[in-house]
Amino acid sequence: MQMSIKAVLSRAWPILSPAFLFLIPLASPTPQHLQWATMGALWGLWVLSLNIVWGYAGQLSLAQIALGAVGAYGFIILQTQLGVPAGLAMLAGIGLAVLASLILSIAALRLSGFYFTILTVTFALVIITIITNSETAGRTTGLLASRAQLPTVDVLGFQWSLGSPLGGFYAFVVATFVVLNGLAVLLARSTAGAAMFAVRDDPKLAVSVGINTLHIKSLAFVLSGFVAGVAGILHGLSYQLVVPELFVLDQILLAVLLIVLAGRGNLLAPTIGGVVYVLIYEAAPIDGEYRQGLLGLIVVLIVILVPGGIAGGTTQVFKRVTARRRRQSAGAVTPNSASSVESRRVDHGA
Amino acid sequence: MLLQTLTSGLFLAAVYSLAAFGLAIVYGVLDILNFAHGALLVMGAYLAFTFLERGMPLGLAAPLAVVSIGAVGVILQRLLFRRVERVPIAGLVMSIGLIAIANSVILTAYGPDQYRLPRLLEGSVTIAGTQLPQDRILVIAVAVIALGVTELGISRAGWGKLLRATAEDDEAASLQGVPVARVKTIAFAGGAALAAVAGVLIGTTAPFDAHLGESLLIKAFVIIIIGGVGSTKGALVGAMILGLAEAFSITYLSTAIAQLLPLLVLAVVLFARPQGLFGRVTERT
């Protein structure tokens, strides 16, 4: 009985984990802490986008941030220049990001590994160059993205204004992160998710068991483009300004560092990545220019010392401790015992 | 007009090939896609600036900056990259971490302002009735010499043979008595030094800041794909193609097309000849 509760918890934990971000402002609801939680959820979304395409399907795409830019600029141009209502413009922006990722995936996914990464990073550079040279997109000064235009939704009689300066927008971002992260966890546990892991771990074997690797990779890429579109729009709204600086190469490299630090492919990576972002970029009592250096330093050390990142590292330590305890109490454990099969199943994402 | 465009195209090609050549060496010999290559390039320019500020003449400051960045390359390879040789993606991730560290160092030491190094030469020469800036021509000459010597060395000299053997198959090379670890360190240092040469030369022709590395890095990636990954000859030809195409489309078409060019060229090459101009099919994994 006790085991099954544990099993349920271990399965539910990746879905529930982002809700942790709700706790920071609950403990102390200052504007600053609301801001921390918002940024944590936002970077959690960027990491989630990268986790689906790189963590699940094994394709390191550096185009995510540019797909986010497509979403954000699409949204704000439709809303402020063409008069489309904010909610609808948001959906259209996400749609544009998905469309862009679909087009890019047709071209890029025929390539493998290194070539794929280079094509995506070139795509990202070109998108940013187009934006900074376009009058419509506000060149380098960007476009205002007022949160006041966001709709108010009725949740069980409670009027939730998505753009309200304090709680409303924060709750909007965190709730979006919770929902998308939950869906991504379910994806990882579905047949499609299993196929993605197979493509990542052994493409030849995946083909031999009848998986269409191109379709599976496209699916991962398009879903990650969807998340990127959402993240891009929310990123612009969080600063109330859509500017090229939000979507430059540094930003996507930051997401790469966060996901490596958190544990690529792990279902907890988006939450851990968001929390790490808050700790280093918001909470750490150091000067701004040291922050990315600190993150870089930690990642370099992690790559050498703990290749699995925070999530992988703790699982490893946990396993070693439980294995030792089991050995002490019941002698040697046979490799094909039921518990080790179960732990492998849970580990499946790591 | 034509001569001017040709000069600026060759200038771009010179700068691009210096940036791409080192990247190609490091990828060919060490199998590392070094994202920090652009950061090494920029740090070369900043270091030269610091040496100049300390009162050294440019003729001393520039080579010293190049040698210093080469030494940084030795340290990075021996201290960091060598430890993750067996994990393909680890070197790439580590180099991204190094970019973040480099950005912090640059911001702390130099701030966000733009810097520039003194011009190599003032004034211009008149050829066939067209005025051409002298310093750009000198940059082209320096690049031709630096790359010519390196390429000759790789294809003819004894150390070049060791380098090529290691690039081909490091285990087999090691069995034949090639000091593989040392060859790899030298390759990394050489690649870093070439990046610094590019950085210093660019710094003498235009203002730079920490972002200079970014767009050059991506163009260098495109170039080594055009030429065939890991092929130094390919990097030279790829840089010529991209540099000239960029200059000519700025003059005769529009800046917008020039900016789309890396992606267009990349797309055409990847679909028409995925292994690149000088690449072998087996290299594509």
Side-chain angles (χ1 to χ4, degrees), chain B residues 25-33 77 81-82 85 167 183-185 187-188:
Chain B
I25 294 179
V26 171
Y27 187 80
V29 178
L30 294 104
D31 273 327
I32 297 170
L33 192 53
Q77 163 64 8
F81 287 102
R82 201 166 62 176
E85 254 180 4
V183 169
K184 286 185 175 175
T185 307
F188 201 102

Side-chain angles (χ1 to χ4, degrees), chain A residues 122-332:
Chain A
T122 314
F123 173 81
L125 178 82
V126 167
I127 292 284
I128 297 308
T129 330
I130 292 174
I131 288 169
T132 46
N133 285 290
S134 152
E135 197 61 55
T136 326
R139 295 188 189 270
T140 46
T141 39
L143 301 168
L144 289 178
S146 162
R147 290 202 287 255
Q149 305 299 323
L150 292 182
T152 300
V153 289
D154 189 351
V155 186
L156 306 169
F158 174 77
Q159 296 298 313
W160 178 9
S161 156
L162 297 181
S164 82
L166 279 181
F169 182 68
Y170 142 77
F172 179 36
V173 177
V174 176
T176 309
F177 179 42
V178 170
V179 170
L180 290 183
N181 179 69
L183 291 174
V185 172
L186 295 180
L187 169 71
R189 289 174 180 159
S190 70
T191 329
M196 285 173 194
F197 292 122
V199 169
R200 176 194 68 186
D201 293 335
D202 194 339
K204 281 185 191 142
L205 189 65
V207 172
S208 76
V209 297
I211 294 173
N212 185 331
T213 53
L214 200 59
H215 285 181
I216 287 298
K217 286 194 279 188
S218 295
L219 180 67
F221 196 63
V222 169
L223 290 176
S224 78
F226 176 89
V227 178
V230 174
I233 293 172
L234 293 177
H235 208 152
L237 284 169
S238 74
Y239 290 100
Q240 307 216 58
L241 189 64
V242 177
V243 274
E245 274 88 356
L246 295 180
F247 306 104
V248 291
L249 188 63
D250 272 355
Q251 299 281 77
I252 187 64
L253 296 185
L254 171 54
V256 173
L257 294 181
L258 288 175
I259 194 175
V260 170
L261 185 48
R264 166 169 79 99
N266 197 291
L267 298 181
L268 291 173
T271 304
I272 298 177
V275 170
V276 168
Y277 179 86
V278 174
L279 289 178
I280 293 182
Y281 278 79
E282 305 277 348
I286 51 175
D287 285 343
E289 62 259 34
Y290 295 125
R291 294 183 195 274
Q292 58 171 329
L294 176 65
L295 180 61
L297 196 63
I298 298 174
V299 167
V300 168
L301 292 177
I302 286 254
V303 170
I304 294 178
L305 303 173
V306 205
I310 293 178
T314 37
T315 318
Q316 236 175 1
V317 171
F318 182 74
K319 257 192 223 154
R320 217 173 285 164
V321 170
T322 44
R324 192 181 303 152
R325 204 180 298 157
R326 216 173 291 154
R327 226 177 300 134
Q328 280 165 354
S329 61

